[in-house]
């Protein structure tokens, strides 16, 4: 790569490459896995087993407005339209023959599947069905919900034992032994990437923000796919340098407009209507400077500390109590210096939806930042209603403006 | 009293309990002089509450108007938890010594969080089951969860809960499960005495009575039924699967259109009684091992999808002509299992009727669909 390459160009390059690499591995007869998005990837990276992430795959398909055909295919097979849109797109893709094209990345049919339920419960059912339908082994890494906040010792012991079991399963799968030295290296890289990810977030909080709108949702691809690789370190460092440069030059997120309002966007992006939501935000000078969602991949532990690793993976925000969900959002709003909050009532994501009302009441009580909720979906384009979104954003702008005036 | 008269008297008594669970629970605590503990579905270690000198009672929702719960849950949440939260907000659970809330699906997990936020005055006792439930580490982890439940209930009850208390409670609950299984096996032979609604009432009443008392009555009932000749049965037999066979009135439609229940695979009924706590050793560990023995349930990790085979066998072995799926609205675990077992039923040529159920459903529409299904099979 040349010196003039931007972090975004590098990101796009790697985002395409992950699918091509998986297809290549498959063609070469190496086992390829499908995995949930916040899995302890360190084990698979160590064993050099390529993983493809169906949630990312479904998100890409949805953002490229190709979800509907797959959704209908899955629904025709018997999947209810109420269940997760990512899952329906994924099964639709399989039922359609798992073929890639210009918009649909070529995710090869897996030889094994890996499920870690540290941010979603129903995903276990998704992976059960994949394993059964494809006749492939399922490696289940169970991380029980933490209803009262802390990850207790019994949970740590349980997860640690599953890590040990997983190592044996991967050795059996590959016929190779698990290289502890390599594992330490991967842990070290992953730790550094998690640190850089956090650092990038702190920069996004600068006024005006050096990052634009849904930027960090894009960089997330790296954290999902390549959290244990040096390439990610390279892109994140470059992105951070770019943001630092913008801060030094006093540049904001938009070339042609001022950053007038800063918001926390709660939940997964509304991928099928990404362009519309981004356009409406921009028309008011709204920038997203915080989100609970990308934070899930900032998995932090000390290299070599497997207990700490178990605790870190089990502490993903969705796996924690309502109180912790509130604390996290208050922290995000403060760090991002957000004037308001937009909660995506994402029809697919019941984990977030089912406490949204209480969470937003408490976050508002703590921060005073006004908020709105809109109905949408991470994959299904039929849920979102533009008029509802537009009028609610307008209302939020009015609330943010009157709050600003009151503070002047 | 003649056998048949006594049968009718027992069934009428259980029907009253099932029809008015709130009143039954109040009567229960008054008569026994023990505090009530609410228990959400599924697979909660009720034995621990019993061992702590408390009376576990089921919390399965049951109101069509869940408007107050809309303060916490969006419209597309499971009707069971919305209704349960609504009842909590309306004060129906005031006076419960604690609420035990498993977390086997998202609806229940976040019911727990919302309940704790809405009713901090009622002690919240969560229990999170493992999914790798058949491994030693899974059993050890669940034992630790149950230990926390035991300690918390002991604290609330203000007494020690000994291994002997737990062993006794396990014995009572296992006896009760055995009695229920025997009844459910005998019931299809007597469709005119045990209609679908009556059958459901016998199962549901178990959640609002002392387990030993219920087991005694059900045992007597089964004995009396066994002494009667098997009816030839004019109806067509089906198996029902799903979470629960409500709202009220739904099962009357079965009788109306000539459908008899050969067996059920409902979470509130047979699935709750299917698996005993195994013998031997530390009682908390035995309770944890029960979870590793559960089979064919949408809530229990099942990578081989054994449920497909279990359900098909149930239909075949019970002499049923088809399967009626009572699909609880917005129930992800059940909705996710459906396409896979449906495929196997279709391949085997066994008819399936998929009926979405929710508290405000149109019974008229359900009648039409059940009617045509009954004619088809």
């Amino acid at each position: 790569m040349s010196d003039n390459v931007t972090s975004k160009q590098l990101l796009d390059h790697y985002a395409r490459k992950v699918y091509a690499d998986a297809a290549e591995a498959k063609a070469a007869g190496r086992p390829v896995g499908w995995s949930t998005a916040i899995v302890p990837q360190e084990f698979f990276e160590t064993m050099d087993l390529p993983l493809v992430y169906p949630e990312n795959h479904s998100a890409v398909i949805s953002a490229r407005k190709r979800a509907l055909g797959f959704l209908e295919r899955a629904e025709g097979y018997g999947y209810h339209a109420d269940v997760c849109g990512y899952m329906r797109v994924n099964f639709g893709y399989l039922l359609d023959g798992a073929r890639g094209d210009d918009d649909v990345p070529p995710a090869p049919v897996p030889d094994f599947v890996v499920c870690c339920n540290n941010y979603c419960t129903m995903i276990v059912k998704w992976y059960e069905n994949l394993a059964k339908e494809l006749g492939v082994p399922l490696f289940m890494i169970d991380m029980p919900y933490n209803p009262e906040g802390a990850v207790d010792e019994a949970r740590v012991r349980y997860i640690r034992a599953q890590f040990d079991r997983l190592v044996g399963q991967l050795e059996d799968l590959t016929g190779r032994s698990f290289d502890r030295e390599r594992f330490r290296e991967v842990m070290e890289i992953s730790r550094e990437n998690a640190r850089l990810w956090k650092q990038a977030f702190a920069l996004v909080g600068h006024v005006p923000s050096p990052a634009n709108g849904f930027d960090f949702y894009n960089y997330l691809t790296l954290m999902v796919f390549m959290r244990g690789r040096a390439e990610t370190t390279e892109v994140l460092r470059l992105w951070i340098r770019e943001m630092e440069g913008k801060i030094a030059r006093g540049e904001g997120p938009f070339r042609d407009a001022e950053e007038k309002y800063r918001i926390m966007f709660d939940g997964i992006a509304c991928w099928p209507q990404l362009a519309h939501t981004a356009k409406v935000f921009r028309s008011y000078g709204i920038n997203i400077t915080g989100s609970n969602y990308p934070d899930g991949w900032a998995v932090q532990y000390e290299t070599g500390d497997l207990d700490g690793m178990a605790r870190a993976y089990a502490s993903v925000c969705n796996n924690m109590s309502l109180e912790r969900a509130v604390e996290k959002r208050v922290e995000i709003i403060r760090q991002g210096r957000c004037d308001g909050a937009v909660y995506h009532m994402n029809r697919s994501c019941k984990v977030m939806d089912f406490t949204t009302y209480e969470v937003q009441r408490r976050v508002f009580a703590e921060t005073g930042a006004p908020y709105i909720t809109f109905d949408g979906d991470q994959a299904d384009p039929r849920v979102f209603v533009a008029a509802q979104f537009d009028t609610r954003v307008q209302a939020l702008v009015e609330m943010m403006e009157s709050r600003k005036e009151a503070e002047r | 009293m003649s056998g048949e008269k006594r049968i009718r008297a027992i069934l009428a008594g259980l029907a009253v309990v099932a029809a008015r669970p709130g009143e039954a629970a109040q009567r229960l605590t008054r008569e026994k002089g023990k505090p009530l503990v609410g228990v959400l579905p599924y697979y909660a270690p009720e034995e621990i509450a019993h061992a702590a000198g408390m009376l576990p009672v089921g919390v399965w929702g049951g109101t069509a108007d869940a408007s107050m719960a809309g303060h916490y849950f969006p419209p597309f949440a499971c009707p069971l938890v919305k209704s349960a939260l609504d009842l909590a907000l309306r004060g129906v659970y005031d006076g419960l010594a604690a609420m035990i809330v498993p977390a086997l699906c998202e609806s229940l997990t976040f019911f727990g969080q919302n309940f704790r936020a809405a009713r901090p005055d009622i002690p919240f006792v969560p229990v999170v089951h493992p999914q790798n439930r058949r491994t030693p580490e899974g059993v050890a982890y669940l034992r630790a969860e149950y230990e926390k439940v035991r300690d918390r209930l002991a604290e609330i009850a203000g007494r020690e809960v000994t291994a002997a208390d737990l062993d006794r409670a396990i014995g009572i609950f296992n006896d009760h499960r055995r009695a229920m299984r025997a009844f459910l096996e005998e019931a299809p032979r007597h469709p005119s005495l045990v209609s679908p609604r009556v059958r459901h009432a016998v199962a549901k009443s178990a959640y609002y009575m002392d387990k030993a008392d219920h087991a005694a009555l059900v045992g007597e009932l089964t004995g009396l039924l066994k002494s009667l000749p098997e009816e030839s049965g004019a109806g067509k037999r089906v198996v029902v699967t799903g979470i629960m066979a409500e709202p009220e009135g739904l099962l009357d439609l079965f009788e109306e259109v000539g459908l008899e229940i050969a067996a059920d695979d409902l979470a509130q009924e047979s699935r709750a009684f299917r698996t005993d706590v195994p013998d031997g050793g530390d009682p908390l560990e035995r309770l944890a091992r029960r979870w590793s023995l559960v089979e064919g349930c949408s809530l229990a990790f099942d990578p081989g999808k054994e449920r497909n085979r279990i359900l098909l066998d149930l239909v075949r072995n019970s002499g049923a002509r088809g399967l009626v799926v009572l699909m609880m609205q917005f129930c992800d675990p059940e909705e996710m299992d459906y396409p896979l077992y449906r495929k196997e039923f279709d391949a085997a040529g066994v008819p399936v009727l998929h009926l979405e159920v929710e508290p405000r459903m149109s019974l008229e529409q359900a009648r039409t669909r059940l009617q045509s299904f009954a004619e088809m099979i």
Side-chain angles (χ1 to χ4, degrees), chain A residues 121 128 142 162 165 323, chain B residues 106 116 131-132 137 302:
Chain A
T121 308
E128 272 181 6
D142 181 28
Q162 293 178 78
R165 189 177 291 277
E323 286 75 11
Chain B
E106 267 134 22
R116 192 164 55 124
Q131 289 297 346
N132 275 326
E137 62 264 26
D302 181 17

Side-chain angles (χ1 to χ4, degrees), chain B residues 159-205:
Chain B
R159 54 167 280 187
E160 200 190 345
V161 179
T162 65
D165 294 331
L166 287 164
D167 281 330
R168 239 187 332 271
I170 290 170
I172 290 168
F173 277 68
N174 272 351
D175 286 347
H176 177 259
R177 283 187 275 260
R178 267 192 292 276
M180 281 307 301
R181 290 199 296 271
F183 164 75
L184 293 169
E185 202 181 313
E186 187 59 27
R189 299 189 183 106
H190 311 278
S192 68
L193 282 167
V194 189
S195 67
R197 172 195 272 264
V198 166
R199 185 186 181 283
H200 169 60
V202 174
K204 186 178 175 184
S205 58

Side-chain angles (χ1 to χ4, degrees), chain A residues 12-304:
Chain A
D12 289 344
H13 167 74
Y14 288 128
R16 268 194 303 274
K17 195 168 174 296
V18 286
Y19 286 102
D21 287 353
E24 200 183 300
K26 179 87 183 176
R30 284 168 52 213
V32 172
W34 278 11
S35 173
T36 57
I38 318 182
V39 75
Q41 45 76 30
E42 291 82 347
F43 295 96
F44 299 87
E45 196 67 53
T46 301
M47 294 300 271
D48 197 22
L49 284 165
L51 294 180
V52 169
Y53 296 85
E55 290 154 82
N56 173 279
H57 191 244
S58 293
V60 172
I61 290 171
S62 306
R64 292 177 184 166
K65 301 191 185 301
R66 289 287 300 279
L68 196 56
F70 295 125
L71 291 166
E72 286 172 348
R73 187 111 198 195
E75 288 158 21
Y77 189 69
Y79 285 109
H80 201 291
D82 288 331
V83 292
C84 171
Y86 279 175
M87 185 283 296
R88 278 178 288 139
V89 168
N90 188 230
F91 277 97
Y93 170 77
L94 281 173
L95 289 164
D96 197 46
R99 290 168 299 171
D101 59 33
D102 289 349
D103 295 327
V104 177
V109 176
D111 303 290
F112 63 94
V113 293
V114 191
C115 179
C116 182
N117 56 345
N118 50 352
Y119 59 95
C120 176
T121 308
M122 73 76 64
I123 209 154
V124 177
K125 304 300 295 180
W126 176 353
Y127 277 71
E128 272 181 6
N129 288 14
L130 281 176
K132 175 70 179 172
E133 297 273 52
L134 299 171
V136 297
L138 163 52
F139 304 131
M140 177 72 213
I141 309 163
D142 181 28
M143 301 206 178
Y145 183 75
N146 303 289
E148 291 169 302
V151 181
D152 62 23
E153 281 313 304
R155 281 169 167 75
V156 173
R157 278 196 302 274
Y158 173 46
I159 296 165
R160 270 297 305 272
Q162 293 178 78
F163 285 169
D164 294 342
R165 189 177 291 277
L166 179 66
V167 167
Q169 287 168 326
L170 297 185
E171 287 180 333
D172 289 346
L173 178 80
T174 58
R176 286 183 274 124
S177 58
F178 191 76
D179 181 344
R180 298 273 160 192
E181 262 315 295
R182 172 76 187 127
F183 186 49
R184 274 191 74 87
E185 275 170 39
V186 172
M187 282 174 108
E188 186 55 36
I189 295 168
S190 306
R191 195 175 84 95
E192 174 64 3
N193 288 340
R195 190 190 67 76
L196 291 169
W197 189 240
K198 280 293 237 194
Q199 191 187 339
F201 263 85
L203 291 177
V204 170
H206 194 273
V207 182
S209 176
N212 168 356
F214 288 96
D215 259 2
F216 41 78
Y217 281 75
N218 297 326
Y219 287 91
L220 196 56
T221 304
L222 288 177
M223 292 304 281
V224 174
F225 264 95
M226 302 167 50
R227 204 161 61 252
R229 292 196 210 155
E231 294 95 313
T232 300
T233 317
E234 175 198 0
V235 182
L236 290 178
R237 281 193 180 139
L238 183 56
W239 184 34
I240 287 169
R241 272 205 306 281
E242 288 165 357
M243 286 200 285
E244 283 168 345
K246 285 179 87 173
I247 290 169
R249 294 190 297 275
E251 287 171 20
F254 311 126
R255 270 200 203 107
D256 48 357
E258 180 199 351
E259 179 186 76
K260 284 177 78 175
Y261 307 101
R262 299 158 62 91
I263 58 158
M264 172 181 79
F265 187 89
D266 197 81
I268 300 175
C270 189
W271 296 116
Q273 279 89 14
L274 188 68
H276 181 86
T277 51
K279 193 178 92 193
V280 172
F281 284 153
R282 199 169 174 150
S283 72
Y284 290 106
I286 294 174
N287 191 25
I288 299 169
T289 56
S291 173
N292 66 314
Y293 181 60
D295 194 73
W297 284 265
V299 183
Q300 292 182 298
Y301 55 84
E302 293 300 319
T303 300

